[in-house]
Amino acid sequence: MSLHKAIISILTASLFTGAVALVPMTALAQDSKVTAAMELLKSKANELGPPKIEGTDAVAGKEVPAIYFGSTKMNNNFTLVDEVVKEAGGTATIFVKSGDEYVRVATNVKKDDGSRAIGTILDPKGKAIESVKKGEAFYGEVDILGKPYVTGYDPIRDADKHVIGIYYVGYLKK
């Protein structure tokens, strides 16, 4: 009987090890999707032209700086973020820096009522904002409007290298 128990123990341990090994693979797959989606978002934005702030615009009742790529205003313009999601899945957002906040001006992240979450701000106590404040990208898990996402945030810089916004892509955590 002890040989039988030993074999069962070995099989159980093997199955457990295999299951644990799959968890990082799932995370890696999502991470590579985030990286690819971020490159796509930045590439499509680049095709429009250099980022800049020009004047202000109302987004969901808030007056915020108007962010442009070339001559294309991003505020309340969902073409870019929707194209990225059509090709890569997930969610995409353009944030603009408004004072100390980063406001969603173009997004396909949805609120609970199904509407686009424009006018909402990047969590001022979240993990991503600390990196962005240092001018660095952030890749990792974040709660967005109460749901877990695997994400990427990358600062948008103007011609003078000032951070004027944030590129965001993310996938609902599996």
Coordinates of all heavy atoms in Angstrom, one line a residue, residues 5-74:
K5 N 0.6 4.7 -2.3 CA 0.5 6.1 -1.8 C 1.7 7.0 -2.4 O 1.5 8.1 -2.7 CB 0.6 6.1 -0.3 CG -0.7 5.6 0.4 CD -0.6 5.8 1.9 CE -1.9 5.4 2.5 NZ -1.8 5.4 4.0
A6 N 2.8 6.4 -2.5 CA 4.0 7.1 -3.0 C 3.7 7.5 -4.5 O 4.0 8.7 -4.9 CB 5.3 6.3 -2.9
I7 N 3.2 6.6 -5.3 CA 2.9 7.0 -6.7 C 1.8 8.1 -6.8 O 2.0 9.0 -7.5 CB 2.4 5.7 -7.4 CG1 3.6 4.7 -7.6 CG2 1.8 6.0 -8.8 CD1 3.3 3.4 -8.1
I8 N 0.8 7.9 -5.9 CA -0.3 9.0 -5.9 C 0.3 10.3 -5.5 O 0.0 11.4 -6.1 CB -1.4 8.6 -5.0 CG1 -2.2 7.4 -5.7 CG2 -2.4 9.7 -4.7 CD1 -3.3 6.8 -4.9
S9 N 1.2 10.3 -4.5 CA 1.9 11.6 -4.0 C 2.7 12.2 -5.2 O 2.6 13.4 -5.4 CB 2.7 11.3 -2.8 OG 2.0 10.9 -1.7
I10 N 3.4 11.4 -5.9 CA 4.3 11.9 -7.0 C 3.4 12.4 -8.1 O 3.6 13.5 -8.6 CB 5.2 10.8 -7.5 CG1 6.3 10.4 -6.5 CG2 5.8 11.2 -8.8 CD1 7.1 9.2 -6.8
L11 N 2.3 11.7 -8.4 CA 1.4 12.2 -9.5 C 0.7 13.5 -9.1 O 0.6 14.4 -9.8 CB 0.3 11.2 -9.8 CG 0.8 10.0 -10.6 CD1 -0.3 8.9 -10.7 CD2 1.3 10.4 -12.0
T12 N 0.3 13.6 -7.8 CA -0.3 14.8 -7.3 C 0.6 16.0 -7.4 O 0.3 17.1 -7.8 CB -0.8 14.6 -5.9 OG1 -1.7 13.5 -5.9 CG2 -1.5 15.8 -5.3
A13 N 1.9 15.7 -6.9 CA 2.9 16.8 -6.9 C 3.2 17.2 -8.4 O 3.3 18.4 -8.7 CB 4.2 16.3 -6.3
S14 N 3.2 16.3 -9.3 CA 3.5 16.6 -10.7 C 2.4 17.5 -11.3 O 2.6 18.4 -12.0 CB 3.6 15.3 -11.5 OG 4.8 14.6 -11.1
L15 N 1.1 17.1 -11.0 CA 0.0 17.8 -11.5 C 0.0 19.2 -10.9 O -0.3 20.2 -11.6 CB -1.3 17.1 -11.2 CG -1.6 15.8 -12.0 CD1 -2.8 15.1 -11.5 CD2 -1.8 16.1 -13.5
F16 N 0.3 19.4 -9.6 CA 0.3 20.7 -9.0 C 1.4 21.5 -9.6 O 1.1 22.7 -9.9 CB 0.5 20.5 -7.5 CG 0.6 21.8 -6.7 CD1 -0.6 22.5 -6.5 CD2 1.8 22.3 -6.3 CE1 -0.5 23.8 -5.9 CE2 1.8 23.6 -5.7 CZ 0.7 24.3 -5.4
T17 N 2.6 21.0 -9.8 CA 3.7 21.7 -10.4 C 3.3 22.2 -11.8 O 3.5 23.3 -12.2 CB 4.9 20.8 -10.5 OG1 5.2 20.4 -9.1 CG2 6.1 21.6 -11.0
G18 N 2.6 21.3 -12.6 CA 2.2 21.6 -13.9 C 1.2 22.8 -13.9 O 1.3 23.7 -14.7
A19 N 0.2 22.7 -13.0 CA -0.8 23.7 -12.9 C -0.1 25.1 -12.5 O -0.5 26.1 -13.1 CB -1.8 23.4 -11.9
V20 N 0.8 25.1 -11.6 CA 1.5 26.3 -11.2 C 2.3 26.9 -12.3 O 2.3 28.1 -12.5 CB 2.4 26.0 -9.9 CG1 3.3 27.2 -9.6 CG2 1.5 25.7 -8.7
A21 N 2.9 26.0 -13.1 CA 3.7 26.5 -14.3 C 2.8 27.2 -15.3 O 3.2 28.1 -16.0 CB 4.4 25.3 -14.9
L22 N 1.5 26.8 -15.4 CA 0.6 27.4 -16.4 C 0.3 28.8 -16.0 O 0.0 29.6 -16.9 CB -0.6 26.5 -16.5 CG -0.5 25.2 -17.3 CD1 -1.8 24.5 -17.3 CD2 0.0 25.5 -18.7
V23 N 0.2 29.1 -14.7 CA -0.2 30.4 -14.3 C 0.7 31.5 -14.8 O 0.3 32.5 -15.4 CB -0.3 30.5 -12.7 CG1 -0.5 31.9 -12.3 CG2 -1.4 29.6 -12.3
P24 N 2.1 31.4 -14.7 CA 2.9 32.4 -15.2 C 2.8 32.4 -16.8 O 3.0 33.5 -17.3 CB 4.3 31.9 -14.8 CG 4.1 31.1 -13.6 CD 2.8 30.4 -13.8
M25 N 2.6 31.3 -17.4 CA 2.5 31.4 -18.9 C 1.3 32.2 -19.3 O 1.3 33.0 -20.3 CB 2.3 29.9 -19.4 CG 3.6 29.2 -19.4 SD 3.5 27.4 -19.8 CE 2.9 27.6 -21.5
T26 N 0.2 32.1 -18.6 CA -1.0 32.9 -18.9 C -0.7 34.4 -18.7 O -1.0 35.2 -19.5 CB -2.2 32.5 -17.9 OG1 -2.5 31.2 -18.2 CG2 -3.4 33.3 -18.2
A27 N 0.0 34.7 -17.6 CA 0.4 36.1 -17.3 C 1.4 36.6 -18.4 O 1.3 37.7 -18.8 CB 1.1 36.2 -15.9
L28 N 2.3 35.7 -18.8 CA 3.3 36.2 -19.9 C 2.5 36.4 -21.2 O 2.8 37.4 -21.9 CB 4.3 35.1 -20.1 CG 5.4 35.0 -19.0 CD1 6.3 33.8 -19.3 CD2 6.2 36.3 -18.9
A29 N 1.5 35.6 -21.5 CA 0.8 35.8 -22.7 C 0.0 37.1 -22.6 O 0.0 37.9 -23.6 CB -0.2 34.6 -22.9
Q30 N -0.6 37.4 -21.5 CA -1.2 38.7 -21.4 C -0.2 39.9 -21.4 O -0.5 40.9 -22.1 CB -2.1 38.8 -20.1 CG -3.4 38.1 -20.2 CD -4.4 38.5 -19.2 OE1 -4.1 38.4 -18.0 NE2 -5.5 38.9 -19.6
D31 N 0.9 39.7 -20.8 CA 2.0 40.8 -20.8 C 2.4 41.0 -22.3 O 2.6 42.2 -22.7 CB 3.2 40.4 -20.0 CG 2.9 40.4 -18.5 OD1 1.8 40.9 -18.1 OD2 3.7 39.9 -17.7
S32 N 2.6 40.0 -23.1 CA 3.0 40.2 -24.5 C 1.9 40.9 -25.3 O 2.2 41.7 -26.2 CB 3.5 38.9 -25.1 OG 2.5 38.0 -25.2
K33 N 0.7 40.6 -25.0 CA -0.4 41.2 -25.6 C -0.4 42.7 -25.3 O -0.6 43.6 -26.2 CB -1.8 40.6 -25.2 CG -2.1 39.3 -25.9 CD -3.3 38.7 -25.4 CE -4.6 39.4 -25.6 NZ -5.8 38.7 -25.2
V34 N -0.2 43.1 -24.0 CA -0.1 44.5 -23.6 C 1.0 45.2 -24.3 O 0.8 46.3 -24.9 CB 0.1 44.6 -22.1 CG1 0.4 46.0 -21.6 CG2 -1.2 44.1 -21.3
T35 N 2.2 44.6 -24.4 CA 3.3 45.2 -25.1 C 3.0 45.4 -26.6 O 3.3 46.5 -27.1 CB 4.6 44.3 -24.9 OG1 4.8 44.1 -23.6 CG2 5.8 45.0 -25.6
A36 N 2.4 44.4 -27.2 CA 2.1 44.6 -28.6 C 1.0 45.7 -28.8 O 1.1 46.5 -29.8 CB 1.6 43.2 -29.2
A37 N 0.0 45.7 -28.0 CA -1.1 46.7 -28.1 C -0.5 48.1 -27.9 O -0.9 49.0 -28.6 CB -2.2 46.4 -27.1
M38 N 0.4 48.2 -26.9 CA 1.0 49.6 -26.7 C 1.8 50.0 -27.9 O 1.7 51.2 -28.3 CB 1.9 49.5 -25.4 CG 2.6 50.8 -25.1 SD 1.4 52.2 -24.7 CE 1.0 51.7 -23.0
E39 N 2.6 49.1 -28.5 CA 3.3 49.5 -29.7 C 2.4 49.9 -30.8 O 2.6 50.9 -31.5 CB 4.2 48.4 -30.1 CG 5.4 48.1 -29.2 CD 6.2 49.4 -28.9 OE1 6.6 50.1 -29.9 OE2 6.5 49.7 -27.7
L40 N 1.3 49.2 -30.9 CA 0.3 49.5 -32.0 C -0.3 50.9 -31.7 O -0.4 51.8 -32.6 CB -0.8 48.5 -32.0 CG -1.9 48.7 -33.0 CD1 -1.4 48.6 -34.4 CD2 -3.0 47.6 -32.8
L41 N -0.7 51.2 -30.5 CA -1.3 52.5 -30.1 C -0.3 53.6 -30.4 O -0.7 54.6 -31.0 CB -1.7 52.5 -28.6 CG -2.2 53.9 -28.1 CD1 -3.5 54.3 -28.8 CD2 -2.6 53.7 -26.6
K42 N 0.9 53.5 -30.0 CA 1.9 54.5 -30.2 C 2.2 54.7 -31.7 O 2.4 55.8 -32.1 CB 3.2 54.2 -29.4 CG 3.0 54.3 -27.9 CD 4.0 53.7 -27.0 CE 5.3 54.4 -27.0 NZ 6.3 53.9 -26.1
S43 N 2.3 53.6 -32.4 CA 2.6 53.7 -33.8 C 1.5 54.4 -34.6 O 1.7 55.3 -35.4 CB 2.7 52.3 -34.4 OG 2.7 52.3 -35.8
K44 N 0.2 54.1 -34.3 CA -0.9 54.8 -34.9 C -1.0 56.2 -34.5 O -1.3 57.1 -35.4 CB -2.2 54.1 -34.6 CG -2.4 52.7 -35.3 CD -3.8 52.1 -35.0 CE -4.0 50.9 -35.9 NZ -4.2 51.3 -37.3
A45 N -0.7 56.5 -33.3 CA -0.6 58.0 -32.8 C 0.5 58.7 -33.6 O 0.3 59.8 -34.1 CB -0.4 58.0 -31.3
N46 N 1.6 58.1 -33.7 CA 2.7 58.7 -34.4 C 2.4 59.0 -35.9 O 2.9 60.0 -36.4 CB 3.9 57.7 -34.4 CG 5.1 58.2 -33.7 OD1 5.1 59.3 -33.2 ND2 6.2 57.5 -33.8
E47 N 1.6 58.1 -36.5 CA 1.2 58.3 -37.9 C 0.4 59.6 -38.0 O 0.5 60.3 -39.1 CB 0.4 57.2 -38.4 CG 1.2 55.9 -38.6 CD 0.3 54.7 -39.0 OE1 -0.9 54.9 -39.3 OE2 0.8 53.6 -38.9
L48 N -0.3 60.0 -37.0 CA -1.1 61.2 -37.0 C -0.2 62.5 -36.9 O -0.6 63.5 -37.4 CB -2.1 61.2 -35.9 CG -3.2 60.1 -36.0 CD1 -4.1 60.1 -34.8 CD2 -4.0 60.3 -37.3
G49 N 0.9 62.4 -36.2 CA 1.8 63.5 -36.0 C 2.3 63.6 -34.6 O 1.8 62.9 -33.7
P50 N 3.2 64.6 -34.3 CA 3.7 64.7 -33.0 C 2.6 65.2 -32.0 O 1.7 66.0 -32.3 CB 4.8 65.8 -33.2 CG 4.5 66.5 -34.4 CD 3.7 65.5 -35.3
P51 N 2.8 64.7 -30.7 CA 1.8 65.1 -29.7 C 2.0 66.6 -29.3 O 3.2 67.0 -29.2 CB 2.0 64.2 -28.6 CG 3.4 63.5 -28.8 CD 3.7 63.7 -30.3
K52 N 0.9 67.3 -29.0 CA 1.0 68.6 -28.5 C -0.3 69.0 -27.7 O -1.3 68.3 -27.9 CB 1.2 69.6 -29.6 CG 0.1 69.7 -30.6 CD 0.3 70.6 -31.8 CE -0.8 70.6 -32.8 NZ -0.6 71.3 -34.0
I53 N -0.2 70.0 -26.9 CA -1.4 70.6 -26.3 C -1.7 71.9 -27.0 O -0.8 72.7 -27.2 CB -1.1 70.9 -24.8 CG1 -0.8 69.6 -24.0 CG2 -2.3 71.6 -24.1 CD1 -2.0 68.6 -23.9
E54 N -3.0 72.1 -27.3 CA -3.4 73.3 -28.0 C -4.8 73.7 -27.4 O -5.8 73.1 -27.8 CB -3.4 73.1 -29.5 CG -3.3 74.4 -30.3 CD -3.1 74.1 -31.7 OE1 -1.9 73.9 -32.1 OE2 -4.1 74.0 -32.5
G55 N -4.8 74.7 -26.6 CA -6.1 75.2 -26.0 C -6.7 74.2 -25.0 O -6.0 73.3 -24.5
T56 N -8.0 74.4 -24.9 CA -8.7 73.5 -23.9 C -10.0 73.0 -24.6 O -10.4 73.5 -25.7 CB -9.1 74.2 -22.6 OG1 -10.0 75.3 -23.0 CG2 -7.9 74.7 -21.9
D57 N -10.6 72.0 -24.0 CA -11.8 71.4 -24.6 C -12.6 70.8 -23.4 O -12.1 70.4 -22.4 CB -11.4 70.3 -25.6 CG -12.5 69.9 -26.5 OD1 -13.6 70.6 -26.6 OD2 -12.4 68.8 -27.1
A58 N -13.9 70.8 -23.6 CA -14.8 70.1 -22.6 C -14.9 68.6 -22.8 O -15.1 68.2 -24.0 CB -16.2 70.7 -22.6
V59 N -14.6 67.8 -21.8 CA -14.7 66.4 -21.8 C -15.6 66.0 -20.7 O -15.2 66.2 -19.5 CB -13.3 65.7 -21.8 CG1 -13.5 64.2 -21.7 CG2 -12.5 66.1 -23.0
A60 N -16.8 65.5 -20.9 CA -17.7 65.0 -19.9 C -17.9 66.2 -18.9 O -17.9 65.9 -17.7 CB -17.2 63.8 -19.2
G61 N -18.1 67.4 -19.4 CA -18.4 68.5 -18.5 C -17.2 69.1 -17.8 O -17.3 70.1 -17.1
K62 N -16.0 68.6 -18.1 CA -14.7 69.2 -17.5 C -14.0 69.9 -18.5 O -13.8 69.4 -19.6 CB -13.8 68.0 -16.9 CG -14.3 67.3 -15.7 CD -13.2 66.3 -15.3 CE -13.6 65.6 -14.1 NZ -12.7 64.5 -13.7
E63 N -13.5 71.1 -18.2 CA -12.6 71.8 -19.1 C -11.2 71.3 -18.9 O -10.6 71.4 -17.8 CB -12.7 73.3 -18.9 CG -12.2 74.2 -20.0 CD -13.1 74.1 -21.3 OE1 -14.3 73.8 -21.2 OE2 -12.5 74.3 -22.3
V64 N -10.6 70.7 -19.9 CA -9.2 70.1 -19.8 C -8.4 70.6 -21.0 O -9.0 71.0 -22.0 CB -9.3 68.6 -19.7 CG1 -10.0 68.1 -18.5 CG2 -9.9 68.0 -21.0
P65 N -7.1 70.4 -20.9 CA -6.3 70.7 -22.1 C -6.6 69.9 -23.3 O -7.0 68.7 -23.1 CB -4.8 70.4 -21.6 CG -4.9 70.6 -20.1 CD -6.3 70.1 -19.8
A66 N -6.6 70.4 -24.5 CA -6.8 69.6 -25.7 C -5.5 69.0 -26.2 O -4.6 69.8 -26.5 CB -7.5 70.6 -26.8
I67 N -5.5 67.7 -26.3 CA -4.3 67.0 -26.7 C -4.5 66.6 -28.2 O -5.6 66.1 -28.6 CB -4.0 65.8 -25.8 CG1 -2.6 65.2 -26.2 CG2 -5.1 64.8 -25.8 CD1 -2.1 64.2 -25.1
Y68 N -3.4 66.8 -29.0 CA -3.5 66.5 -30.4 C -2.3 65.6 -30.7 O -1.2 65.7 -30.1 CB -3.2 67.8 -31.2 CG -4.4 68.8 -31.2 CD1 -4.7 69.6 -30.2 CD2 -5.2 68.9 -32.4 CE1 -5.8 70.5 -30.2 CE2 -6.3 69.7 -32.5 CZ -6.5 70.5 -31.4 OH -7.6 71.4 -31.4
F69 N -2.5 64.8 -31.8 CA -1.4 64.2 -32.5 C -1.5 64.8 -33.9 O -2.5 64.6 -34.6 CB -1.6 62.6 -32.6 CG -1.4 62.0 -31.2 CD1 -2.5 61.4 -30.5 CD2 -0.2 61.9 -30.6 CE1 -2.3 60.9 -29.3 CE2 0.0 61.3 -29.4 CZ -1.1 60.8 -28.7
G70 N -0.5 65.6 -34.2 CA -0.5 66.3 -35.5 C -1.7 67.3 -35.4 O -1.8 68.0 -34.4
S71 N -2.5 67.3 -36.4 CA -3.7 68.2 -36.4 C -5.0 67.5 -35.9 O -6.1 68.0 -36.0 CB -3.9 68.7 -37.8 OG -4.2 67.6 -38.7
T72 N -4.8 66.2 -35.4 CA -6.0 65.5 -35.0 C -6.2 65.6 -33.5 O -5.3 65.1 -32.7 CB -5.9 64.0 -35.3 OG1 -5.6 63.9 -36.7 CG2 -7.1 63.2 -35.0
K73 N -7.3 66.2 -33.1 CA -7.6 66.4 -31.6 C -8.1 65.1 -31.1 O -8.9 64.4 -31.7 CB -8.6 67.5 -31.4 CG -8.9 67.7 -29.9 CD -9.7 69.0 -29.7 CE -11.0 69.0 -30.4 NZ -11.9 70.1 -30.0
M74 N -7.6 64.7 -29.9 CA -8.0 63.4 -29.3 C -9.2 63.5 -28.4 O -9.9 62.5 -28.2 CB -6.8 62.8 -28.5 CG -5.6 62.4 -29.4 SD -6.0 60.9 -30.4 CE -6.3 61.6 -32.0

